Amino acid sequence: MRALTKAFIGVTAAIGMAAGGLATAGTAAAASAPESAQQRAVGAEAVAPLAVVNLGLNTAQAKDWQCFLRNSGYSPGAIDGQLGTQSWKAAQGLFNALGYQDGQVDGIVGPNTVKALQRFLNDDNVGQKVAVDGIAGPDTKDAFKDLVNLFSHFC
């Protein structure tokens, strides 16, 4: 499943890049687009899981989230305020343990991870109320910030 997700992300990125390039390119550039798109897909696939996704948190808030995860028994990696793959794997582990996610732990912040975060935010013990739609919009980001601001004592 992980490989399929990574391949889907890479192909989606490649299609988007190719479409943008073809919209402004001439016939000669269009002929070379499939090779270029394939190269871009490999590059996008290799970079996507390494991206930092703080979902609106500043560095200090992200450190607090990482400390919360660590203190909850999940290893977010370095406490550096950069929510990368290892931090999101830790969060996914927490979400799985709480029954908010389907067991997938890949460190990618896709719709399933965002839905799990939204369910976590909506938990009675957390007290936030956001739509569970898999979209990390302003309401989700604000609720995440509000929650994490309560964790300043964890680091």
Side-chain angles (χ1 to χ4, degrees):
M1 184 69 169
R2 179 179 179 191
L4 181 61
T5 301
K6 289 170 79 176
F8 177 74
I9 291 168
V11 170
T12 303
I15 291 170
M17 287 185 260
L22 289 175
T24 58
T27 306
S32 65
E35 180 178 301
S36 178
Q38 183 179 19
Q39 290 169 346
R40 287 183 188 143
V42 171
E45 180 180 338
V47 174
L50 303 177
V52 173
V53 183
N54 279 18
L55 292 183
L57 301 182
N58 63 35
T59 302
Q61 291 166 324
K63 284 181 181 179
D64 291 336
W65 175 244
Q66 289 171 319
C67 288
F68 168 77
L69 291 168
R70 180 194 62 205
N71 295 347
S72 298
Y74 300 91
S75 177
I79 307 297
D80 58 5
Q82 302 297 310
L83 302 181
T85 303
Q86 190 60 37
S87 294
W88 284 107
K89 282 182 178 181
Q92 290 168 337
L94 171 69
F95 298 153
N96 284 334
L98 296 172
Y100 298 138
Q101 190 163 310
D102 64 2
Q104 184 176 5
V105 176
D106 58 10
I108 297 171
V109 185
N112 289 334
T113 300
V114 173
K115 284 180 184 178
L117 173 62
Q118 291 166 332
R119 289 182 191 107
F120 178 72
L121 292 168
N122 287 341
D123 185 283
D124 289 337
N125 294 323
V126 176
Q128 302 291 329
K129 297 298 175 206
V130 296
V132 179
D133 57 9
I135 299 169
D139 291 342
T140 297
K141 289 178 181 178
D142 288 345
F144 191 35
K145 286 181 204 176
D146 290 345
L147 171 67
V148 171
N149 285 335
L150 300 174
F151 297 157
S152 62
H153 63 283
F154 282 108
C155 279

